[in-house]
């Protein structure tokens, strides 16, 4: 099979690794395999070359299309093949960077060596200096992690589950504490000890709905990782059953559940909410009907909040006000107090959401009917 055909298969397999906010996978208009449109922090689309080195895998993850027991065509690309195809895409302005992952073909270290070799070829042999995101294999050695971090702009290691028991339900070949949590800690410690490393951040990914872990368990784990290993952000992949895998008959995860987890995650990571501010239903799940920030606001006794004197912390608790608009409010009100909702709207505040929760110059904007 030629390189292009292998690329088609392995780029399709790579769709299950996320690197943007929305769970989507989209081919470029060029109709070439492996072009993935990630979403940047400002919402712009960033085309990346996204591919697996191989779909051969020794792991038995029950949800995964590449699990060892799944009977389908197994392929592998060499580091040279990936480097050449990527540079062709890059030099023709099809992509702006590389997102490289892999199943485990033979053993963890040889797989990591191949991943690192792709990056080494690009950086050292071809002088490529733009964006590279590498997936760290669970159980990788500290040396291989450090070498990957010295060549990549970002690294990530998929945590998959919120608990050790949760991962055990899904795989018998991964040790949650040793292969994953310990490696996440290594990435953080290596980054702090060596400022010369090119790697700027690490992320992780959680699989939602493949086991019976609750939203509360998921967010408790993610919050702990933000604090302990300086996680840049987390991604949530909605479980979808794949024919031929152990979980082919399990119900597909509700996409609204994943969406609400993203909203709650933003509150924890960007808005610096505490977990006890979030509202969980009795079974430990977020409501799929209402926005987590709105429900959190209903529980607080600080509303309606006087916009012209409220702290940054409290402004962030107002539905419709985010970190950027909160900073603008504080900067502007020193010179000119706010009198109308329209003034807030000009700063990016979603006025319809904020209106029941704020006062301007002591005047209530509307009543909140609960």
């Amino acid at each position: 099979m030629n390189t292009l055909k292998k690329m088609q298969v392995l780029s399709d397999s790579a769709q299950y690794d996320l690197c943007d906010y929305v769970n989507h996978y989209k081919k470029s208009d060029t109709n070439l395999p492996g072009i993935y449109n990630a979403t940047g922090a400002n919402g712009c689309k960033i085309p990346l070359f996204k591919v697996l080195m191989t779909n051969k895998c020794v792991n038995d993850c029950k949800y995964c299309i590449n699990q060892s027991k799944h009977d389908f065509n197994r392929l592998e690309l060499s580091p040279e093949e990936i480097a050449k195809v990527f540079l062709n895409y890059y030099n023709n302005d099809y992509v702006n960077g590389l997102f490289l992952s892999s199943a485990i073909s033979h053993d963890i270290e040889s797989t990591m060596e191949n991943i690192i070799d792709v990056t080494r070829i690009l950086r050292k042999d071809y002088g490529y200096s733009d964006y590279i995101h590498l997936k760290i294999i669970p159980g990788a050695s500290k040396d291989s992690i450090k070498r990957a971090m010295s060549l990549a702009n970002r690294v990530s290691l998929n945590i998959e589950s919120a608990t050790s028991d949760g991962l055990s339900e899904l795989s018998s070949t991964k040790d949650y504490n040793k292969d994953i949590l310990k490696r996440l800690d290594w990435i953080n410690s290596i980054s702090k000890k060596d400022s010369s490393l090119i790697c700027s951040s690490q992320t992780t990914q959680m699989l939602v709905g493949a086991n019976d872990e609750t939203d509360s368990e998921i967010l408790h784990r993610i919050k702990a990782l933000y604090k302990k290993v300086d996680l840049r952000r987390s991604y949530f992949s909605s479980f979808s059953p794949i024919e031929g895998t152990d979980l082919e008959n399990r119900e597909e995860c509700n996409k609204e559940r994943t969406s609400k987890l993203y909203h709650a995650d933003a509150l924890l990571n960007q808005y610096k909410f505490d977990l006890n501010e979030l509202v969980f239903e009795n079974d430990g799940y977020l409501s799929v009907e209402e926005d987590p920030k709105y429900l959190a606001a209903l529980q607080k006794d600080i509303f309606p909040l006087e916009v012209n004197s409220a702290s940054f912390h409290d402004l962030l608790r107002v539905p419709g006000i985010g970190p950027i608009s909160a900073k603008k409010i504080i900067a502007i009100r020193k010179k000119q107090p706010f009198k109308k909702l329209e003034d807030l709207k000009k700063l990016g505040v979603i006025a319809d959401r904020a209106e029941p929760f704020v006062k301007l110059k002591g005047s209530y904007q509307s009543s909140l009917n609960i």
Side-chain angles (χ1 to χ4, degrees), residues 167-215:
L167 185 65
S168 295
E169 290 180 45
L170 303 178
S171 174
S172 68
T173 52
K174 296 177 185 176
D175 185 300
Y176 191 74
N177 293 308
K178 179 181 177 182
D179 295 337
I180 296 176
L181 294 185
K182 187 174 184 179
R183 268 60 186 181
L184 289 171
D185 189 56
W186 281 357
I187 294 170
N188 183 46
S189 62
I190 290 170
S191 178
K192 289 183 175 179
K193 289 178 181 177
D194 192 343
S195 59
S196 67
L197 295 177
I198 187 175
C199 180
S200 61
S201 61
Q202 69 162 316
T203 64
T204 195
Q205 178 174 311
M206 187 86 70
L207 182 63
V208 180
N211 56 28
D212 295 327
E213 289 175 339
T214 66
D215 294 341

Side-chain angles (χ1 to χ4, degrees), residues 76-267:
E76 190 164 3
L77 291 163
S78 70
E80 292 80 6
E81 284 180 301
I82 292 178
K84 288 180 179 179
V85 172
F86 167 70
L87 284 173
N88 178 49
Y89 282 21
Y90 183 78
N91 290 332
N92 283 283
D93 292 326
Y94 298 146
V95 296
N96 291 347
L98 172 67
F99 181 95
L100 183 60
S101 185
S102 183
I104 303 174
S105 178
H106 301 292
D107 58 75
I108 294 169
E109 283 309 296
S110 65
T111 300
M112 280 299 303
E113 198 62 42
N114 284 335
I115 291 174
I116 293 168
D117 206 28
V118 174
T119 316
R120 182 196 60 76
I121 290 170
L122 291 173
R123 298 290 198 210
K124 308 298 183 183
D125 296 351
Y126 293 105
Y128 172 76
S129 59
D130 215 332
Y131 182 79
I132 296 178
H133 180 156
L134 296 182
K135 281 289 183 178
I136 301 298
I137 304 299
S141 70
K142 184 176 287 188
D143 177 67
S144 64
I145 292 175
K146 185 173 182 178
R147 287 190 293 127
M149 292 173 67
S150 71
L151 294 165
N153 302 87
R154 175 172 286 183
V155 296
S156 57
L157 195 165
N158 290 353
I159 192 171
E160 305 296 13
S161 296
T163 64
S164 178
D165 288 343
L167 185 65
S168 295
E169 290 180 45
L170 303 178
S171 174
S172 68
T173 52
K174 296 177 185 176
D175 185 300
Y176 191 74
N177 293 308
K178 179 181 177 182
D179 295 337
I180 296 176
L181 294 185
K182 187 174 184 179
R183 268 60 186 181
L184 289 171
D185 189 56
W186 281 357
I187 294 170
N188 183 46
S189 62
I190 290 170
S191 178
K192 289 183 175 179
K193 289 178 181 177
D194 192 343
S195 59
S196 67
L197 295 177
I198 187 175
C199 180
S200 61
S201 61
Q202 69 162 316
T203 64
T204 195
Q205 178 174 311
M206 187 86 70
L207 182 63
V208 180
N211 56 28
D212 295 327
E213 289 175 339
T214 66
D215 294 341
S216 176
E217 289 174 306
I218 290 171
L219 292 170
H220 271 80
R221 174 62 67 188
I222 293 300
K223 179 67 173 180
L225 291 177
Y226 282 133
K227 182 177 181 180
K228 185 177 181 182
V229 302
D230 199 24
L231 194 69
R232 172 64 61 88
R233 67 167 303 175
S234 53
Y235 298 92
F236 302 101
S237 176
S238 299
F239 169 76
S240 183
I242 297 172
E243 186 177 354
T245 64
D246 296 62
L247 298 182
E248 64 178 355
N249 294 318
R250 187 177 177 89
E251 184 178 352
E252 183 175 4
C253 178
N254 184 346
K255 298 295 191 298
E256 278 302 310
R257 179 187 175 192
T258 309
S259 175
K260 293 303 185 289
L261 281 169
Y262 270 120
H263 291 174
D265 172 71
L267 296 179

Side-chain angles (χ1 to χ4, degrees), residues 7-49:
M7 197 73 64
Q8 180 71 68
V9 174
L10 294 174
S11 65
D12 287 344
S13 295
Q15 66 175 292
Y16 301 100
D17 256 330
L18 306 183
C19 56
D20 68 332
Y21 181 90
V22 183
N23 184 9
H24 73 276
Y25 184 71
K26 179 181 177 183
K27 296 287 195 309
S28 164
D29 292 338
T30 61
N31 203 32
L32 291 171
I35 299 179
Y36 173 92
N37 291 293
T39 303
N42 60 357
C44 67
K45 298 297 181 183
I46 304 171
L48 299 178
F49 180 61

Side-chain angles (χ1 to χ4, degrees), residues 262-312:
Y262 270 120
H263 291 174
D265 172 71
L267 296 179
L268 298 176
N269 188 21
Q270 300 170 33
Y271 293 66
K272 307 305 177 186
F273 271 52
D274 291 326
L275 272 166
N276 60 16
E277 294 182 78
L278 299 181
V279 177
F280 296 97
E281 297 178 344
N282 291 334
D283 54 5
Y285 292 88
L286 297 166
S287 168
V288 295
E289 305 295 334
E290 295 286 355
D291 174 58
K293 189 177 182 183
Y294 175 77
L295 292 179
L298 293 180
Q299 307 302 308
K300 292 185 173 295
D301 58 7
I302 63 172
F303 300 116
L305 190 71
E306 174 53 66
V307 171
N308 289 298
S309 60
S311 67
F312 180 73

